[in-house]
Amino acid sequence: MPEVNDPRPCLDSGPGAPDSVRESMRVLPRAFAVPLTLLTGRPHAGQRPVHYTPTRHLVNAVVSVATGMALSGAALRTAGWLLVLLLPGWAMTLHGARNLRMMIYHQCAHQNMWRRRGPDATLGRVLAAVLLVQDFGRYSAEHVGDHHALHHMTRRDPTVQAFLVSLELRPGMTRRQMWRQVLGKTFSPWFHARFLTARFRSFYAFASTPWRVGATAGLVVMVVLATWLQVWVFLGVAWVLPMTVFFQMSNVFRLCVKHTFPSPEQTDRRGKEYFASLTNAIFIGEAAPSPGLPPTRRYVAWVRWWARMLLIHFPTRYLILTGDTVVHDFHHRHPMNKNWANYLFAREDDHRRGSPGWPAYHEVWGMVAAIDLVFDSLRAADPDEYHRDRLAEVNHRQLFMAFDD
């Protein structure tokens, strides 16, 4: 089994087979089973499902944002060493916001949140106004029409345009060059300013007049209250910072693992075999130490394993690959699945049954390995097909829209 940061994908030994990395963690007490499943994104063999509902996901996300802001407020009010509470405060706010965007808003666009067109659309429009992301109606039409179906990972796909326009990546670049480019963008004030401007424009350019007026009124009320209550510092630190810079940093890394690019040899761009090849599950974590190690080496290995799981893999899962993004491959195979709220177990059940009608699932362990896989696919992609200058041939959205994930 490759190491967690090995760029090679870790494939199952066969359709329906348990995963050796996840199974290695079963040496831990049973109390760790559910937390490890939520962290890694992979249930162990025979694990009893944990049932969620769409409403529970929504409530969890909102509570996470509210609790995060409360922690940040407490940190600012007490100051001193309690300023350390800003870290979990920011994390919880960002985690809730990303789940609202990447899971709830996304399912609303597919009319699959509650599977009721009116409530799904209303919630989607509210989230677009609160999070200041692309207008819901525009996003829903483009996401379903250009990101799914025949235009998936073509020049019409917003994901492809984000790579070529927003991140300025191109075929032929080395993996090192792509990492340098992405990290440079991630920590660039100019990039974040453009990104934030794009978010405002992508909402206000296409939202209906009532929603533009409502969103503007909300912003005005927030400014008036912040001035009256003298809470500008709280507003900036607890809400604006995680909802702009941190939100956008998470967006960049999430974008870099969504889908691989087709190789020039893949001339047949239709069929389930082709579309399944463009999306992998991204499981977070690494194999637990072998029980057969000598006592001293085993102790050191467990200390290292826990440190990496808590300090590297948990933040990756909690802040970047939130919600159902770890099993995005299941969504592309079954975008209207009624059991989407139980995404981890729904995907695992489909895998265990041999993914009927589809090729076997592919997976990657670790975010770095997943990004390397995507970068390598772009490096080998057709430079003519994925040339930025050719976007004008098919681009029916303005280029600032390419910032959306």
Side-chain angles (χ1 to χ4, degrees):
M1 180 65 62
E3 292 292 326
V4 67
N5 56 358
D6 189 319
R8 295 172 296 171
C10 303
L11 303 181
D12 279 331
S13 57
D19 181 84
S20 60
V21 176
R22 181 65 182 89
E23 294 304 302
S24 72
M25 302 176 193
R26 296 184 70 175
V27 299
L28 292 164
R30 185 178 299 179
F32 289 98
V34 172
L36 283 173
T37 293
L38 296 177
L39 169 58
T40 63
R42 189 78 191 263
H44 66 65
Q47 184 173 0
R48 180 179 300 176
V50 178
H51 293 286
Y52 287 84
T53 64
T55 302
R56 180 177 175 183
H57 281 302
L58 175 60
V59 171
N60 285 349
V62 172
V63 169
S64 181
V65 171
T67 305
M69 294 185 66
L71 280 176
S72 297
L76 292 171
R77 181 164 183 165
T78 55
W81 67 270
L82 284 179
L83 282 174
V84 73
L85 291 177
L86 284 175
L87 295 178
W90 286 332
M92 293 186 73
T93 301
L94 176 60
H95 174 77
R98 290 301 291 170
N99 271 343
L100 288 173
R101 167 59 185 86
M102 297 305 299
M103 185 164 56
I104 305 301
Y105 186 70
H106 179 215
Q107 291 295 333
C108 287
H110 284 276
Q111 299 177 19
N112 198 39
M113 175 65 182
W114 293 300
R115 303 180 71 84
R116 297 169 60 192
R117 181 188 297 269
D120 284 6
T122 299
L123 177 59
R125 291 189 172 92
V126 169
L127 291 178
V130 171
L131 300 176
L132 276 178
V133 294
Q134 185 179 9
D135 166 61
F136 176 75
R138 183 84 170 188
Y139 168 76
S140 181
E142 292 181 351
H143 177 76
V144 175
D146 290 343
H147 183 63
H148 285 263
L150 296 179
H151 300 303
H152 184 43
M153 294 307 289
T154 69
R155 291 190 301 272
R156 285 187 57 169
D157 191 332
T159 296
V160 171
Q161 296 186 9
F163 266 90
L164 303 183
V165 177
S166 306
L167 299 183
E168 299 181 276
L169 302 178
R170 64 181 186 277
M173 294 177 70
T174 67
R175 187 191 296 172
R176 182 183 297 272
Q177 288 173 325
M178 292 187 195
W179 270 107
R180 187 181 300 118
Q181 179 78 354
V182 167
L183 292 176
K185 295 283 188 183
T186 303
F187 294 99
S188 166
W190 172 239
F191 174 80
H192 284 287
R194 290 181 63 208
F195 199 149
L196 184 59
T197 301
R199 288 169 61 185
F200 272 90
R201 294 175 66 187
S202 67
F203 175 77
Y204 277 98
F206 300 106
S208 64
T209 299
W211 284 100
R212 287 201 301 268
V213 171
T216 303
L219 289 173
V220 170
V221 169
M222 185 171 63
V223 169
V224 170
L225 287 176
T227 304
W228 179 37
L229 300 174
Q230 299 182 348
V231 292
W232 273 108
V233 173
F234 165 75
L235 183 64
V237 173
W239 176 252
V240 175
L241 184 59
M243 288 302 300
T244 55
V245 176
F246 299 160
F247 187 93
Q248 292 162 187
M249 292 174 75
S250 176
N251 180 100
V252 169
F253 289 115
R254 166 59 187 142
L255 173 67
C256 289
V257 299
K258 285 182 71 175
H259 300 289
T260 54
F261 287 76
S263 69
E265 289 75 26
Q266 288 179 288
T267 55
D268 185 3
R269 301 292 179 87
R270 296 173 180 269
K272 293 181 177 180
E273 189 79 35
Y274 168 70
F275 288 108
S277 72
L278 303 178
T279 315
N280 305 294
I282 305 161
F283 298 136
I284 305 301
E286 53 195 272
S290 171
L293 290 173
T296 302
R297 287 184 58 193
R298 186 167 65 247
Y299 174 79
V300 172
W302 275 109
V303 170
R304 178 180 181 274
W305 186 84
W306 277 112
R308 288 178 59 83
M309 292 291 283
L310 294 175
L311 301 179
I312 297 176
H313 298 303
F314 174 72
T316 297
R317 176 75 167 108
Y318 193 72
L319 303 177
I320 300 173
L321 297 177
T322 59
D324 60 351
T325 56
V326 288
V327 290
H328 195 54
D329 55 349
F330 176 75
H331 168 72
H332 272 268
R333 293 173 184 232
H334 309 286
M336 296 299 293
N337 189 278
K338 295 180 180 180
N339 197 31
W340 71 265
N342 297 298
Y343 45 86
L344 300 183
F345 292 94
R347 193 265 190 192
E348 188 66 12
D349 178 65
D350 194 43
H351 162 69
R352 296 282 183 235
R353 292 186 294 108
S355 54
W358 285 85
Y361 278 103
H362 291 197
E363 65 207 35
V364 186
W365 276 90
M367 189 182 74
V368 172
I371 293 177
D372 284 344
L373 187 67
V374 173
F375 285 174
D376 289 346
S377 72
L378 177 57
R379 180 185 182 184
D382 186 339
D384 181 60
E385 180 181 4
Y386 294 106
H387 196 289
R388 172 173 170 163
D389 292 345
R390 295 197 61 186
L391 292 180
E393 299 174 8
V394 297
N395 195 20
H396 58 281
R397 64 178 63 82
Q398 298 182 49
L399 290 184
F400 64 76
M401 302 293 286
F403 282 104
D404 252 327
D405 54 354

